[in-house]
Amino acid sequence: MSRPVPLASSIQAESARLAAACTACGACVEACPMPDFAGLAPAAPTAVAAGMRAALRGEPVSPEGLAWVGACTRSGQCNAACPEALDVALMLRLAGMRLKGALGEPPRLPVPGDAGWAARVKAFARMTLTEEEQTRWL
Amino acid sequence: MALTFWYGCNMTRHGEVIRLAMRLLDAVGIEAEATGGPASCCGSPKEADARISGGMAERTVAKFNASGTPQVATWCPSCHMNMQDWMAPGMPRNFETLHLTEVLHARRAALRPLLVHPVPARVLLHRHLGFGGRVPVNRMVAGLLALVPGLTLVEHPLAVPGHMCSSLATVPGALARAQRATLEAMAASGADTLCTIFHSCHRDAVTLERGRPIRVLNWVHLLAMAAGWPAEDGYKAWRNAADPRAAVGEAGLAAAGEAGFERLVEPELRRPPPA
């Protein structure tokens, strides 16, 4: 069964839809617990939100927008704060994927690399699961 | 098969949690199979490449479809959100997605008679902010812990940012601050036990036991203890050992393979605690 819509197309379509509905009012930024970690306390919430929206549009992104998207930990407090009832957490995720180069553009955010991820998962499985469990569950 | 328990990838560090979760499902009358690891990935580890990430997600949805399972119960909030956000919307599927806590909470009447062994503990629940909008997991786990005789769930407003601790680990200082806040909440509330909800939190939080008179247990461990089932956390013992290699022992080293242990496992076990 093939995927009717490739993920890259979904990212582009959802980004455009959500960016078009966003007014960059900054309520999401004010509700977020992370600006303190990202050094964003002095930045205007509207400017930060506009930076995130620019990322969704594939436009140049301000440093504050880049910092906020990079500091998203998916706390979800933004969703309840949005007066447009947008899924801001998803907007941040989409913006993050785009800024990491998911659509083939040069990455603007660091891409966490763990070349040993799959091998590590399997190594721990061999240590904590029986052979029968590995056969059935892995 | 009535349900697939999709335990994610990183939980292979805690094979006993997978095993105990399956035992809990069986105990409440649910015929289940477990699946996880890289072959059942949601795609999030490769989110910086939509082609690879989408391909992994597509393969996993196709696998669930082919299995004929009517329900997939998640463990990992990332897997759960990815399924809702773009795995399921992008592909036809013939199963519904739930979280394991929802499944067990709905059958808590069947769990209650099994949980007869007192677990004396004053427990602080390690609540995160982020996943509650999808699944009321904090309330579900609290409801399950209420079934454990001898256990007191302390009241404290602690709510850690992020959807789970691995998200905090990518922001400098955030995980350490969250862990310090957790310790302060335990002290303020008189808790002697921290109950983690997600695996990514648990594998880092276990180091909080070092030099402190507290226990760090996952909610599955606590239910198992109340049922009288063995619930030894081998990973915690390795992670907190002065010599992880010795703690793992010859059998563990042989299972991982010497080269694999040195390259993949040992660096993680020797990593300094976040806080």
Side-chain angles (χ1 to χ4, degrees):
Chain A
M1 189 179 294
S2 62
R3 186 184 186 93
V5 183
L7 179 56
S9 302
S10 297
I11 292 171
Q12 285 175 318
E14 277 295 279
S15 297
R17 181 182 70 81
L18 291 162
C22 174
T23 64
C25 68
C28 49
V29 180
E30 290 174 348
C32 176
M34 300 310 292
D36 192 25
F37 290 98
L40 286 169
T46 49
V48 177
M52 181 266 287
R53 187 178 61 181
L56 292 174
R57 290 174 171 165
E59 298 170 351
V61 181
S62 61
E64 56 265 36
L66 204 58
W68 192 47
V69 174
C72 176
T73 58
R74 306 175 79 179
S75 299
Q77 302 306 287
C78 44
N79 285 2
C82 179
E84 309 298 329
L86 299 178
D87 188 345
V88 188
L90 179 59
M91 294 167 73
L92 282 156
R93 188 89 198 280
L94 293 167
M97 292 173 80
R98 295 183 71 132
L99 291 171
K100 288 173 187 167
L103 301 183
E105 296 152 353
R108 305 242 1 240
L109 283 175
V111 178
D114 183 2
W117 160 74
R120 184 173 300 107
V121 167
K122 291 177 182 174
F124 274 113
R126 292 195 298 275
M127 296 170 70
T128 69
L129 298 174
T130 66
E131 287 190 14
E132 183 191 349
E133 288 168 343
Q134 291 173 55
T135 302
R136 290 181 61 194
W137 297 346
L138 197 59
Chain B
M1 177 176 46
L3 179 144
T4 295
F5 173 42
W6 185 25
Y7 61 80
C9 50
N10 288 312
M11 214 186 17
T12 57
R13 290 161 173 80
H14 283 86
E16 87 282 1
V17 173
I18 303 171
R19 198 172 296 122
L20 291 168
M22 290 294 283
R23 194 166 175 182
L24 287 166
L25 288 166
D26 182 63
V28 299
I30 295 177
E31 183 190 351
E33 278 295 336
T35 192
S40 302
C41 185
C42 68
S44 63
K46 301 291 182 186
E47 69 173 14
D49 187 320
R51 187 184 59 79
I52 296 174
S53 183
M56 294 170 90
E58 179 181 334
R59 180 184 60 183
T60 299
V61 172
K63 181 177 173 178
F64 291 152
N65 279 336
S67 75
T69 188
Q71 292 186 320
V72 171
T74 59
W75 168 272
C76 169
S78 282
C79 295
H80 192 102
M81 289 194 275
N82 282 357
M83 179 61 82
Q84 290 184 331
D85 288 344
W86 56 65
M87 294 173 76
M91 277 189 72
R93 65 191 170 110
N94 52 22
F95 56 88
E96 66 169 332
T97 306
L98 303 161
H99 192 263
L100 178 66
T101 55
E102 294 179 287
V103 176
L104 293 175
H105 189 269
R107 303 242 180 163
R108 61 192 182 283
L111 271 181
R112 188 185 301 275
L114 304 172
L115 307 180
V116 296
H117 297 271
V119 182
R122 286 182 57 80
V123 174
L124 177 74
L125 189 58
H126 185 258
R127 296 180 179 87
H128 269 280
L129 285 171
F131 190 52
R134 307 289 184 109
V135 175
V137 64
N138 296 323
R139 181 170 63 77
M140 296 287 169
V141 174
L144 291 169
L145 294 180
L147 304 175
V148 176
L151 186 152
T152 302
L153 198 58
V154 302
E155 295 286 335
H156 195 280
L158 175 74
V160 180
H163 69 309
M164 58 180 180
C165 281
S166 57
S167 63
L168 294 171
T170 63
V171 180
L175 181 56
R177 189 191 292 188
Q179 288 204 341
R180 286 194 296 272
T182 300
L183 289 169
E184 289 165 9
M186 291 186 74
S189 58
D192 56 28
T193 302
L194 179 66
C195 175
T196 59
I197 296 178
F198 303 119
H199 174 263
S200 94
C201 309
H202 187 76
R203 71 177 197 249
D204 274 320
V206 293
T207 60
L208 294 174
E209 285 194 1
R210 297 183 191 181
R212 300 182 180 97
I214 61 171
R215 290 186 300 177
V216 179
L217 298 164
N218 184 260
W219 61 273
V220 170
H221 293 130
L222 286 162
L223 294 186
M225 290 161 69
W229 301 339
E232 185 183 357
D233 184 341
Y235 181 89
K236 179 165 69 176
W238 303 336
R239 185 91 166 87
N240 286 334
D243 183 353
R245 174 177 284 266
V248 165
E250 288 185 13
L253 286 171
E258 177 63 32
F261 182 81
E262 270 189 25
R263 185 171 63 89
L264 302 166
V265 175
E266 194 168 17
E268 176 175 319
L269 297 180
R270 292 190 183 276
R271 194 167 58 208

